[in-house]
Amino acid sequence: MSRKKLNRGVAIVGAGMSKFGAFTGLSTRDLFVQAFQDMRASIDKGFDPNDIEALYIGNYSSDLFEGQGHTAPFMADWTGLAPRPATRIEDACASSGVALRQGIIAIASGLYDIVLVGGIEKMNDLPTSEVTDTLATASDILYEIPAGFTFPGFYAAMATAYMHKYGATPETFMKVGIKNHENGSLNEKAQFGATIRKVMDGKIAKAKTRGYPEPTWADEIEFLHDDRANPVIAWPMRLFDCSPISDGAAALLLVGEELATKFSDAPLYIIGSGQASDVALHDRKDMTALRAAQLAGKEAFEMAGVTPADIHVAEVHDCFTIAEVIATEDLGFFPQGEGYKAAEDGRTARLGERPINTSGGLKSKGHPVGASGAGQAVEIWKQLRGQAGERQLPGEPTLGLTHNVGGTGQTCVVHIYERR
Ligand code: COA
Protein backbone atom coordinates (compact mmCIF):
# COMPACT_ATOMS: atom_id res chain seq x y z
CA MET A 1 0.00 0.00 0.00
CA SER A 2 1.21 3.49 -0.78
CA ARG A 3 2.21 5.90 1.95
CA LYS A 4 -0.88 7.73 3.23
CA LYS A 5 -1.03 11.48 3.68
CA LEU A 6 -3.46 14.16 4.80
CA ASN A 7 -4.59 16.45 1.99
CA ARG A 8 -4.59 19.34 4.42
CA GLY A 9 -2.58 19.75 7.62
CA VAL A 10 -4.42 19.64 10.94
CA ALA A 11 -3.42 21.13 14.30
CA ILE A 12 -4.59 20.88 17.89
CA VAL A 13 -5.04 24.37 19.36
CA GLY A 14 -6.74 23.46 22.65
CA ALA A 15 -6.81 20.42 24.93
CA GLY A 16 -8.38 19.77 28.30
CA MET A 17 -9.87 17.13 30.55
CA SER A 18 -11.92 16.61 33.66
CA LYS A 19 -10.24 14.95 36.58
CA PHE A 20 -10.41 11.17 36.15
CA GLY A 21 -11.80 9.23 39.11
CA ALA A 22 -15.03 8.01 40.70
CA PHE A 23 -17.61 10.78 40.86
CA THR A 24 -20.95 10.04 42.46
CA GLY A 25 -23.72 12.27 41.19
CA LEU A 26 -21.93 13.47 38.05
CA SER A 27 -22.94 12.26 34.58
CA THR A 28 -20.90 12.16 31.37
CA ARG A 29 -22.53 15.46 30.47
CA ASP A 30 -21.15 17.18 33.58
CA LEU A 31 -17.71 15.67 33.02
CA PHE A 32 -17.69 16.69 29.37
CA VAL A 33 -18.62 20.26 30.27
CA GLN A 34 -15.65 20.29 32.68
CA ALA A 35 -13.34 18.99 29.94
CA PHE A 36 -14.71 21.52 27.46
CA GLN A 37 -14.11 24.39 29.88
CA ASP A 38 -10.58 23.15 30.59
CA MET A 39 -9.95 22.94 26.84
CA ARG A 40 -11.29 26.49 26.32
CA ALA A 41 -8.97 27.82 28.99
CA SER A 42 -6.01 26.29 27.15
CA ILE A 43 -6.55 28.25 23.92
CA ASP A 44 -3.84 30.93 24.07
CA LYS A 45 -5.61 33.55 21.96
CA GLY A 46 -9.22 32.69 22.90
CA PHE A 47 -11.99 31.70 20.51
CA ASP A 48 -15.71 31.86 19.96
CA PRO A 49 -17.29 28.41 20.58
CA ASN A 50 -19.86 29.30 17.93
CA ASP A 51 -17.11 28.80 15.35
CA ILE A 52 -17.04 25.05 16.07
CA GLU A 53 -18.60 23.30 13.10
CA ALA A 54 -18.90 19.68 14.23
CA LEU A 55 -18.31 17.32 17.16
CA TYR A 56 -16.85 13.81 17.17
CA ILE A 57 -17.34 12.12 20.54
CA GLY A 58 -15.75 8.84 21.60
CA ASN A 59 -17.93 6.80 23.96
CA TYR A 60 -17.82 3.08 24.54
CA SER A 61 -21.02 2.28 26.37
CA SER A 62 -23.00 4.96 28.15
CA ASP A 63 -25.98 2.83 27.12
CA LEU A 64 -25.00 0.08 29.57
CA PHE A 65 -22.97 2.11 32.07
CA GLU A 66 -25.47 4.96 32.53
CA GLY A 67 -28.61 3.85 30.69
CA GLN A 68 -28.10 6.69 28.20
CA GLY A 69 -27.63 6.00 24.51
CA HIS A 70 -27.24 8.49 21.66
CA THR A 71 -24.75 10.51 23.68
CA ALA A 72 -23.14 12.84 21.09
CA PRO A 73 -26.06 15.28 20.67
CA PHE A 74 -26.28 15.60 24.47
CA MET A 75 -22.66 16.72 24.51
CA ALA A 76 -23.46 19.30 21.81
CA ASP A 77 -26.45 20.50 23.81
CA TRP A 78 -24.67 20.76 27.17
CA THR A 79 -21.75 22.68 25.68
CA GLY A 80 -24.15 25.05 23.87
CA LEU A 81 -23.11 23.72 20.47
CA ALA A 82 -26.41 22.30 19.17
CA PRO A 83 -27.42 22.28 16.30
CA ARG A 84 -23.86 21.45 15.11
CA PRO A 85 -23.62 17.89 13.79
CA ALA A 86 -22.49 15.62 16.63
CA THR A 87 -21.35 12.07 15.94
CA ARG A 88 -20.61 9.32 18.43
CA ILE A 89 -17.68 7.00 17.69
CA GLU A 90 -17.58 3.57 19.34
CA ASP A 91 -14.43 1.46 19.10
CA ALA A 92 -14.30 0.10 22.65
CA CYS A 93 -11.39 1.60 24.63
CA ALA A 94 -10.06 3.22 21.43
CA SER A 95 -13.26 5.22 20.92
CA SER A 96 -11.81 8.70 21.40
CA GLY A 97 -8.51 7.91 19.67
CA VAL A 98 -10.63 6.99 16.67
CA ALA A 99 -12.83 10.09 17.21
CA LEU A 100 -9.64 12.15 16.98
CA ARG A 101 -8.80 10.45 13.70
CA GLN A 102 -12.31 11.13 12.38
CA GLY A 103 -11.98 14.81 13.35
CA ILE A 104 -8.64 14.98 11.56
CA ILE A 105 -10.12 13.37 8.43
CA ALA A 106 -13.07 15.80 8.49
CA ILE A 107 -10.73 18.80 8.49
CA ALA A 108 -8.23 17.29 6.05
CA SER A 109 -11.09 16.65 3.61
CA GLY A 110 -11.87 20.37 3.59
CA LEU A 111 -15.42 19.84 4.89
CA TYR A 112 -14.74 21.71 8.15
CA ASP A 113 -12.16 24.15 9.50
CA ILE A 114 -12.84 23.85 13.25
CA VAL A 115 -13.90 20.63 14.97
CA LEU A 116 -14.36 19.55 18.58
CA VAL A 117 -13.18 16.04 19.46
CA GLY A 118 -14.17 14.53 22.77
CA GLY A 119 -14.17 11.38 24.83
CA ILE A 120 -16.56 10.44 27.65
CA GLU A 121 -17.26 7.53 29.98
CA LYS A 122 -18.95 7.12 33.35
CA MET A 123 -18.31 3.62 34.68
CA ASN A 124 -18.74 3.94 38.44
CA ASP A 125 -22.55 3.91 38.53
CA LEU A 126 -22.41 0.11 38.22
CA PRO A 127 -20.90 -2.43 40.62
CA THR A 128 -17.59 -4.01 39.52
CA SER A 129 -19.24 -7.26 38.38
CA GLU A 130 -21.54 -5.39 35.98
CA VAL A 131 -18.70 -3.17 34.74
CA THR A 132 -16.76 -6.36 34.00
CA ASP A 133 -19.71 -7.78 32.02
CA THR A 134 -20.16 -4.52 30.12
CA LEU A 135 -16.47 -4.35 29.20
CA ALA A 136 -16.58 -7.99 28.13
CA THR A 137 -19.05 -7.13 25.36
CA ALA A 138 -16.05 -5.60 23.53
CA SER A 139 -14.59 -9.08 23.08
CA ASP A 140 -15.92 -11.96 20.95
CA ILE A 141 -19.17 -12.94 22.63
CA LEU A 142 -19.56 -16.05 20.44
CA TYR A 143 -16.28 -17.70 21.34
CA GLU A 144 -14.46 -15.89 24.14
CA ILE A 145 -17.12 -15.06 26.71
CA PRO A 146 -18.57 -18.60 26.81
CA ALA A 147 -15.01 -19.75 27.58
CA GLY A 148 -15.13 -17.62 30.74
CA PHE A 149 -12.88 -14.73 29.73
CA THR A 150 -13.00 -11.23 31.20
CA PHE A 151 -10.65 -8.37 30.27
CA PRO A 152 -8.24 -9.00 33.14
CA GLY A 153 -8.31 -12.64 31.97
CA PHE A 154 -7.42 -11.77 28.37
CA TYR A 155 -4.46 -9.64 29.35
CA ALA A 156 -3.39 -12.24 31.91
CA ALA A 157 -3.29 -14.79 29.07
CA MET A 158 -1.13 -12.40 27.04
CA ALA A 159 1.14 -11.86 30.05
CA THR A 160 1.53 -15.60 30.59
CA ALA A 161 2.35 -16.17 26.91
CA TYR A 162 4.83 -13.28 27.01
CA MET A 163 6.55 -14.57 30.16
CA HIS A 164 6.80 -18.05 28.67
CA LYS A 165 8.23 -16.80 25.37
CA TYR A 166 10.66 -14.14 26.59
CA GLY A 167 11.39 -14.77 30.28
CA ALA A 168 9.65 -11.79 31.89
CA THR A 169 8.35 -12.32 35.43
CA PRO A 170 5.44 -10.89 37.44
CA GLU A 171 7.99 -8.46 38.92
CA THR A 172 8.54 -6.96 35.48
CA PHE A 173 4.89 -5.93 35.45
CA MET A 174 5.04 -4.70 39.04
CA LYS A 175 7.81 -2.30 37.99
CA VAL A 176 5.56 -0.87 35.27
CA GLY A 177 2.86 -0.25 37.90
CA ILE A 178 5.33 1.39 40.30
CA LYS A 179 6.56 3.72 37.53
CA ASN A 180 3.08 4.70 36.39
CA HIS A 181 1.85 5.38 39.91
CA GLU A 182 4.96 7.53 40.43
CA ASN A 183 4.09 9.56 37.31
CA GLY A 184 0.42 9.73 38.26
CA SER A 185 1.33 11.08 41.69
CA LEU A 186 2.58 14.20 39.86
CA ASN A 187 -0.64 14.62 37.87
CA GLU A 188 -3.44 16.56 39.58
CA LYS A 189 -5.98 15.08 37.14
CA ALA A 190 -5.06 11.45 37.94
CA GLN A 191 -7.42 9.05 39.70
CA PHE A 192 -4.62 7.74 41.92
CA GLY A 193 -2.59 10.59 43.33
CA ALA A 194 -0.31 8.31 45.34
CA THR A 195 2.85 6.37 44.61
CA ILE A 196 2.75 2.69 45.52
CA ARG A 197 5.28 3.47 48.27
CA LYS A 198 2.79 5.95 49.73
CA VAL A 199 -0.07 3.41 49.51
CA MET A 200 2.16 0.88 51.30
CA ASP A 201 3.21 3.36 54.03
CA GLY A 202 -0.46 4.31 54.46
CA LYS A 203 -1.40 0.69 55.10
CA ILE A 204 1.43 0.30 57.64
CA ALA A 205 0.30 3.47 59.43
CA LYS A 206 -3.31 2.25 59.43
CA ALA A 207 -2.32 -1.10 60.95
CA LYS A 208 -0.40 0.74 63.69
CA THR A 209 -3.33 3.03 64.50
CA ARG A 210 -5.70 0.08 64.73
CA GLY A 211 -3.33 -1.98 66.84
CA TYR A 212 -3.04 -4.74 64.19
CA PRO A 213 0.23 -6.61 63.56
CA GLU A 214 2.46 -4.26 61.56
CA PRO A 215 3.23 -5.44 58.01
CA THR A 216 6.96 -5.93 57.40
CA TRP A 217 7.21 -5.18 53.66
CA ALA A 218 10.81 -4.20 52.91
CA ASP A 219 9.92 -2.36 49.72
CA GLU A 220 7.21 -1.89 47.08
CA ILE A 221 8.00 -5.19 45.36
CA GLU A 222 7.48 -7.13 48.60
CA PHE A 223 4.25 -5.20 49.16
CA LEU A 224 3.07 -6.05 45.64
CA HIS A 225 3.80 -9.75 46.22
CA ASP A 226 1.50 -9.78 49.25
CA ASP A 227 -1.79 -11.44 48.25
CA ARG A 228 -3.76 -9.45 50.80
CA ALA A 229 -2.33 -6.05 49.88
CA ASN A 230 -2.29 -6.73 46.15
CA PRO A 231 -4.75 -9.55 45.37
CA VAL A 232 -4.51 -11.61 42.21
CA ILE A 233 -7.22 -10.54 39.75
CA ALA A 234 -6.23 -12.98 36.96
CA TRP A 235 -2.73 -14.36 37.42
CA PRO A 236 -0.19 -12.84 36.87
CA MET A 237 -2.23 -9.62 36.80
CA ARG A 238 -2.86 -8.34 40.32
CA LEU A 239 -4.79 -5.30 41.52
CA PHE A 240 -1.86 -2.93 40.88
CA ASP A 241 -1.44 -4.33 37.34
CA CYS A 242 -4.97 -3.27 36.36
CA SER A 243 -6.27 0.09 35.25
CA PRO A 244 -9.15 1.17 37.51
CA ILE A 245 -12.85 1.66 36.87
CA SER A 246 -13.06 5.35 36.05
CA ASP A 247 -15.26 8.29 35.16
CA GLY A 248 -13.94 11.12 33.04
CA ALA A 249 -13.94 13.19 29.88
CA ALA A 250 -11.45 14.93 27.60
CA ALA A 251 -11.77 17.49 24.79
CA LEU A 252 -9.54 18.68 21.93
CA LEU A 253 -10.02 21.54 19.50
CA LEU A 254 -8.77 20.83 15.97
CA VAL A 255 -8.34 23.36 13.18
CA GLY A 256 -6.90 23.44 9.68
CA GLU A 257 -3.13 23.90 9.91
CA GLU A 258 -3.18 27.31 8.23
CA LEU A 259 -5.50 28.65 10.96
CA ALA A 260 -3.54 27.29 13.92
CA THR A 261 -1.60 30.39 14.92
CA LYS A 262 -4.80 32.46 14.98
CA PHE A 263 -5.76 30.42 18.05
CA SER A 264 -2.54 29.30 19.63
CA ASP A 265 1.01 30.47 20.36
CA ALA A 266 2.14 26.84 20.36
CA PRO A 267 -0.16 24.53 18.38
CA LEU A 268 0.54 20.83 18.04
CA TYR A 269 0.59 19.69 14.44
CA ILE A 270 -0.71 16.20 13.65
CA ILE A 271 2.01 14.75 11.47
CA GLY A 272 1.03 11.08 11.61
CA SER A 273 -2.18 9.08 11.99
CA GLY A 274 -2.63 5.32 11.61
CA GLN A 275 -5.38 2.84 12.40
CA ALA A 276 -5.79 -0.89 11.92
CA SER A 277 -7.99 -3.75 13.03
CA ASP A 278 -7.41 -7.42 13.82
CA VAL A 279 -9.23 -10.67 14.51
CA ALA A 280 -10.32 -11.52 18.07
CA LEU A 281 -7.63 -12.73 20.46
CA HIS A 282 -8.60 -16.42 20.31
CA ASP A 283 -8.06 -16.37 16.53
CA ARG A 284 -4.48 -15.06 16.66
CA LYS A 285 -1.34 -17.09 16.16
CA ASP A 286 0.65 -14.92 18.56
CA MET A 287 -0.62 -13.38 21.80
CA THR A 288 2.60 -11.51 22.59
CA ALA A 289 2.17 -8.70 20.05
CA LEU A 290 -0.77 -6.71 18.66
CA ARG A 291 -0.68 -6.71 14.88
CA ALA A 292 -3.16 -3.81 14.69
CA ALA A 293 -0.79 -1.72 16.82
CA GLN A 294 2.18 -2.61 14.66
CA LEU A 295 0.29 -1.65 11.50
CA ALA A 296 -1.21 1.54 12.94
CA GLY A 297 2.22 2.57 14.20
CA LYS A 298 3.84 1.86 10.83
CA GLU A 299 1.21 3.92 9.02
CA ALA A 300 1.61 6.84 11.42
CA PHE A 301 5.41 6.80 11.31
CA GLU A 302 5.45 6.63 7.51
CA MET A 303 3.01 9.54 7.24
CA ALA A 304 5.06 11.57 9.73
CA GLY A 305 8.39 10.74 8.12
CA VAL A 306 9.95 10.09 11.53
CA THR A 307 11.15 6.94 13.30
CA PRO A 308 10.45 5.56 16.79
CA ALA A 309 13.86 6.83 17.89
CA ASP A 310 12.76 10.42 17.15
CA ILE A 311 9.80 10.38 19.58
CA HIS A 312 10.45 12.24 22.84
CA VAL A 313 7.36 11.18 24.79
CA ALA A 314 4.66 8.54 24.28
CA GLU A 315 1.38 7.79 25.98
CA VAL A 316 0.60 4.11 25.34
CA HIS A 317 -2.45 2.05 26.22
CA ASP A 318 -1.52 0.39 29.53
CA CYS A 319 -4.97 -0.94 30.45
CA PHE A 320 -2.93 -3.68 32.15
CA THR A 321 0.81 -3.48 32.85
CA ILE A 322 1.60 -6.20 30.27
CA ALA A 323 -0.08 -4.04 27.62
CA GLU A 324 2.50 -1.28 28.13
CA VAL A 325 5.39 -3.69 27.62
CA ILE A 326 3.85 -5.08 24.44
CA ALA A 327 3.03 -1.57 23.16
CA THR A 328 6.64 -0.42 23.45
CA GLU A 329 7.64 -3.32 21.21
CA ASP A 330 4.75 -3.00 18.72
CA LEU A 331 5.64 0.66 18.19
CA GLY A 332 9.30 -0.16 17.58
CA PHE A 333 10.69 1.57 20.68
CA PHE A 334 12.34 -1.71 21.63
CA PRO A 335 12.88 -4.96 19.69
CA GLN A 336 10.34 -7.75 20.12
CA GLY A 337 10.95 -9.57 23.39
CA GLU A 338 13.08 -6.77 24.86
CA GLY A 339 10.45 -4.30 26.03
CA TYR A 340 10.30 -6.03 29.38
CA LYS A 341 14.03 -5.55 29.96
CA ALA A 342 13.65 -1.84 29.22
CA ALA A 343 10.81 -1.66 31.76
CA GLU A 344 12.90 -3.51 34.35
CA ASP A 345 15.93 -1.27 33.78
CA GLY A 346 13.95 1.96 34.20
CA ARG A 347 14.47 3.00 30.57
CA THR A 348 10.78 3.90 30.25
CA ALA A 349 10.76 6.04 33.40
CA ARG A 350 9.95 9.74 33.20
CA LEU A 351 13.62 10.61 33.27
CA GLY A 352 14.72 7.50 31.38
CA GLU A 353 15.85 7.36 27.75
CA ARG A 354 12.30 6.63 26.50
CA PRO A 355 9.63 8.24 28.71
CA ILE A 356 6.38 6.26 28.55
CA ASN A 357 3.13 7.36 30.17
CA THR A 358 4.33 10.47 31.96
CA SER A 359 0.68 11.20 32.84
CA GLY A 360 0.52 8.03 34.96
CA GLY A 361 -1.03 6.16 32.04
CA LEU A 362 -4.36 4.39 32.17
CA LYS A 363 -3.00 2.51 35.19
CA SER A 364 -2.75 5.50 37.47
CA LYS A 365 -4.36 8.45 35.67
CA GLY A 366 -7.45 6.27 35.17
CA HIS A 367 -9.24 4.57 32.30
CA PRO A 368 -12.73 5.95 31.59
CA VAL A 369 -12.58 3.83 28.49
CA GLY A 370 -14.22 6.09 25.88
CA ALA A 371 -12.24 9.11 27.14
CA SER A 372 -8.81 7.54 27.43
CA GLY A 373 -7.56 8.18 23.87
CA ALA A 374 -8.39 11.89 23.97
CA GLY A 375 -6.92 12.00 27.49
CA GLN A 376 -3.62 10.68 26.13
CA ALA A 377 -3.51 13.57 23.63
CA VAL A 378 -4.04 16.03 26.51
CA GLU A 379 -0.81 14.77 28.12
CA ILE A 380 1.15 15.15 24.88
CA TRP A 381 -0.30 18.67 24.52
CA LYS A 382 1.01 19.56 27.98
CA GLN A 383 4.43 17.95 27.61
CA LEU A 384 5.18 19.45 24.19
CA ARG A 385 4.08 22.91 25.35
CA GLY A 386 6.14 22.75 28.56
CA GLN A 387 3.01 22.85 30.73
CA ALA A 388 3.19 19.50 32.51
CA GLY A 389 4.15 21.01 35.86
CA GLU A 390 6.10 18.77 38.22
CA ARG A 391 6.17 15.93 35.70
CA GLN A 392 7.42 18.11 32.83
CA LEU A 393 10.12 16.38 30.82
CA PRO A 394 13.40 18.24 30.57
CA GLY A 395 14.94 19.27 27.24
CA GLU A 396 11.93 20.81 25.47
CA PRO A 397 10.38 17.76 23.79
CA THR A 398 8.93 18.46 20.35
CA LEU A 399 7.64 15.07 19.12
CA GLY A 400 4.99 13.01 20.91
CA LEU A 401 2.94 9.88 20.20
CA THR A 402 -0.31 8.35 21.43
CA HIS A 403 -1.28 4.67 21.09
CA ASN A 404 -4.89 3.76 21.90
CA VAL A 405 -6.16 0.16 21.84
CA GLY A 406 -9.72 -1.15 21.61
CA GLY A 407 -10.51 -4.50 23.24
CA THR A 408 -7.64 -6.95 23.07
CA GLY A 409 -6.15 -5.14 20.09
CA GLN A 410 -8.93 -5.61 17.57
CA THR A 411 -8.62 -1.85 17.06
CA CYS A 412 -5.54 0.29 17.39
CA VAL A 413 -5.02 3.93 16.52
CA VAL A 414 -1.72 5.83 16.70
CA HIS A 415 -1.07 9.57 16.37
CA ILE A 416 2.15 11.55 16.14
CA TYR A 417 2.26 15.23 17.18
CA GLU A 418 4.85 17.92 16.54
CA ARG A 419 5.50 21.22 18.27
CA ARG A 420 7.29 23.38 15.71
N1 COA B 1 -5.34 -0.29 40.92
C1 COA B 1 -4.99 0.01 42.19
N2 COA B 1 -5.88 0.11 43.20
C2 COA B 1 -7.17 -0.10 42.89
C3 COA B 1 -7.60 -0.41 41.59
C4 COA B 1 -6.63 -0.51 40.59
N3 COA B 1 -6.97 -0.82 39.34
N4 COA B 1 -8.94 -0.58 41.60
C5 COA B 1 -9.35 -0.36 42.86
N5 COA B 1 -8.27 -0.07 43.64
C6 COA B 1 -8.26 0.17 45.09
C7 COA B 1 -9.37 1.09 45.56
O1 COA B 1 -8.92 2.43 45.59
C8 COA B 1 -9.64 0.54 46.94
O2 COA B 1 -8.63 1.00 47.81
P1 COA B 1 -8.94 1.25 49.40
O3 COA B 1 -9.41 -0.05 49.94
O4 COA B 1 -7.60 1.70 49.92
O5 COA B 1 -9.99 2.31 49.40
C9 COA B 1 -9.44 -0.96 46.78
O6 COA B 1 -8.54 -1.11 45.69
C10 COA B 1 -10.70 -1.74 46.48
O7 COA B 1 -11.41 -1.03 45.45
P2 COA B 1 -12.66 -1.69 44.71
O8 COA B 1 -13.29 -0.59 43.91
O9 COA B 1 -13.51 -2.41 45.70
O10 COA B 1 -11.96 -2.73 43.74
P3 COA B 1 -12.66 -3.84 42.89
O11 COA B 1 -12.20 -5.16 43.40
O12 COA B 1 -14.13 -3.60 42.80
O13 COA B 1 -12.05 -3.59 41.43
C11 COA B 1 -10.57 -4.31 39.70
C12 COA B 1 -10.69 -3.86 41.17
C13 COA B 1 -9.10 -4.53 39.40
C14 COA B 1 -11.36 -5.62 39.50
C15 COA B 1 -11.16 -3.20 38.79
O14 COA B 1 -10.42 -2.01 38.98
C16 COA B 1 -11.12 -3.58 37.32
O15 COA B 1 -11.96 -4.32 36.86
N6 COA B 1 -10.13 -3.07 36.57
C17 COA B 1 -10.00 -3.39 35.14
C18 COA B 1 -10.88 -2.51 34.32
C19 COA B 1 -10.84 -2.92 32.89
O16 COA B 1 -10.85 -4.09 32.56
N7 COA B 1 -10.81 -1.94 31.98
C20 COA B 1 -10.80 -2.20 30.56
C21 COA B 1 -9.45 -2.60 30.15
S1 COA B 1 -9.35 -3.20 28.51
Side-chain angles (χ1 to χ4, degrees), residues 363-376:
K363 171 69 207 79
S364 168
K365 183 171 73 168
H367 186 22
V369 290
S372 293
Q376 293 176 321

Side-chain angles (χ1 to χ4, degrees), residues 93 128 135 151-152 155 192 203 233 239-240 242-245 319-320 363 367 369:
C93 305
T128 299
L135 290 169
F151 266 91
Y155 280 88
F192 295 124
K203 287 193 189 285
I233 303 297
L239 182 67
F240 281 89
C242 303
S243 59
I245 292 167
C319 50
F320 297 90
K363 171 69 207 79
H367 186 22
V369 290

Side-chain angles (χ1 to χ4, degrees), residues 155 158-159 162 172-184 237 240-243 288-290 293 314-350 354-365 376 401 403 405:
Y155 280 88
M158 291 188 221
Y162 187 94
T172 312
F173 308 129
M174 290 172 184
K175 287 182 180 164
V176 173
I178 292 170
K179 168 186 74 75
N180 287 354
H181 274 260
E182 246 160 44
N183 291 345
M237 296 290 99
F240 281 89
D241 291 295
C242 303
S243 59
T288 63
L290 304 188
E315 288 283 303
V316 308
H317 196 97
D318 59 326
C319 50
F320 297 90
T321 48
I322 173 64
E324 175 169 313
V325 173
I326 290 178
T328 59
E329 297 176 3
D330 290 340
L331 291 165
F333 293 141
F334 304 107
Q336 215 71 46
E338 291 189 19
Y340 84 93
K341 291 181 197 154
E344 286 181 354
D345 297 345
R347 279 145 65 194
T348 54
R350 194 172 62 83
R354 167 72 56 211
I356 300 287
N357 287 333
T358 55
S359 70
L362 280 38
K363 171 69 207 79
S364 168
K365 183 171 73 168
Q376 293 176 321
L401 177 148
H403 155 280
V405 171

Side-chain angles (χ1 to χ4, degrees), residues 245-311:
I245 292 167
S246 312
D247 309 331
L252 310 167
L253 191 70
L254 307 188
V255 302
E257 182 175 88
E258 72 284 1
L259 303 171
T261 52
K262 284 192 178 164
F263 295 85
S264 179
D265 296 328
L268 296 197
Y269 296 91
I270 307 279
I271 58 169
S273 176
Q275 185 183 340
S277 60
D278 198 1
V279 296
L281 187 69
H282 74 274
D283 249 351
R284 294 184 206 153
K285 290 195 175 63
D286 181 9
M287 294 205 299
T288 63
L290 304 188
R291 187 168 148 72
Q294 293 169 336
L295 293 174
K298 185 168 182 288
E299 185 185 344
F301 279 117
E302 281 176 6
M303 186 187 290
V306 301
T307 69
D310 297 321
I311 301 294

